[in-house]
């Protein structure tokens, strides 16, 4: 359970950095508390997408992983971010990613920041 909380906090922090750095990734809302709650919910949604959908996509695109020496991972991560943005719209969360190239840059930032946060935060259960 502790590992799940740590990963959710790391995802929320990584998403917050991407929102802060890229103007086309937006999180809207009224108060700071409302934005924080929306960010946590989007982080949970992003974690769920990465847990359920990403392995299937990676399995289906395995030949591309070999062919591109793993660089297709960035495209897969961008697609997961776009899927999270779409699902956030379905669940009426005010998180939006505008376009594929914005998602690629956002996925790169999120990957680096979440890697760094997972190195710093404890992860034992």
């Amino acid at each position: 359970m502790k590992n799940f909380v740590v990963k959710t906090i790391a995802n929320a922090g990584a998403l917050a950095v991407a929102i802060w750095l890229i103007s086309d990734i937006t999180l809207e809302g009224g108060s700071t508390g409302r934005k924080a709650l929306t960010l946590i919910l989007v982080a949970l949604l992003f974690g769920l997408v990465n847990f359920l959908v990403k392995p299937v996509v990676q399995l289906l695109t395995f030949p591309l992983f070999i062919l591109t020496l793993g660089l297709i991972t960035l495209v897969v991560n961008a697609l997961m971010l776009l899927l999270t943005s779409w699902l956030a719209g379905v669940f009426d969360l005010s998180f939006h990613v505008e376009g594929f190239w914005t998602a690629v840059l956002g996925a790169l930032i999120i990957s680096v920041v979440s890697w760094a946060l997972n190195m710093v935060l404890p992860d034992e259960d």
Side-chain angles (χ1 to χ4, degrees):
M1 181 66 180
K2 190 175 181 181
N3 191 18
F4 173 74
V5 172
V6 168
K7 288 196 182 293
T8 302
I9 291 170
N11 276 341
L15 284 165
V17 170
I19 291 165
W20 179 60
L21 289 176
I22 303 172
S23 62
D24 287 338
I25 299 178
T26 57
L27 178 74
E28 308 211 355
S31 65
T32 304
R34 177 81 174 141
K35 284 184 180 179
L37 178 63
T38 302
L39 184 63
I40 295 294
L41 291 174
V42 169
L44 286 169
L45 192 60
F46 187 62
L48 189 64
V49 164
N50 281 329
F51 180 73
L52 295 175
V53 179
K54 189 175 179 178
V56 174
V57 173
Q58 285 177 332
L59 182 65
L60 294 175
T61 60
F62 184 71
L64 289 174
F65 277 93
I66 294 171
L67 187 64
T68 63
L69 301 175
L71 290 177
I72 195 74
T73 303
L74 190 57
V75 173
V76 170
N77 288 343
L79 293 174
M80 296 305 108
L81 187 59
L82 284 171
L83 180 60
T84 301
S85 174
W86 179 76
L87 286 172
V90 169
F91 290 116
D92 201 29
L93 299 172
S94 58
F95 174 76
H96 184 68
V97 178
E98 185 67 38
F100 176 75
W101 292 110
T102 301
V104 169
L105 184 58
L108 182 63
I109 291 170
I110 290 169
S111 295
V112 170
V113 172
S114 66
W115 170 80
L117 287 175
N118 281 319
M119 294 298 289
V120 173
L121 295 173
D123 63 349
E124 67 272 351
D125 275 331

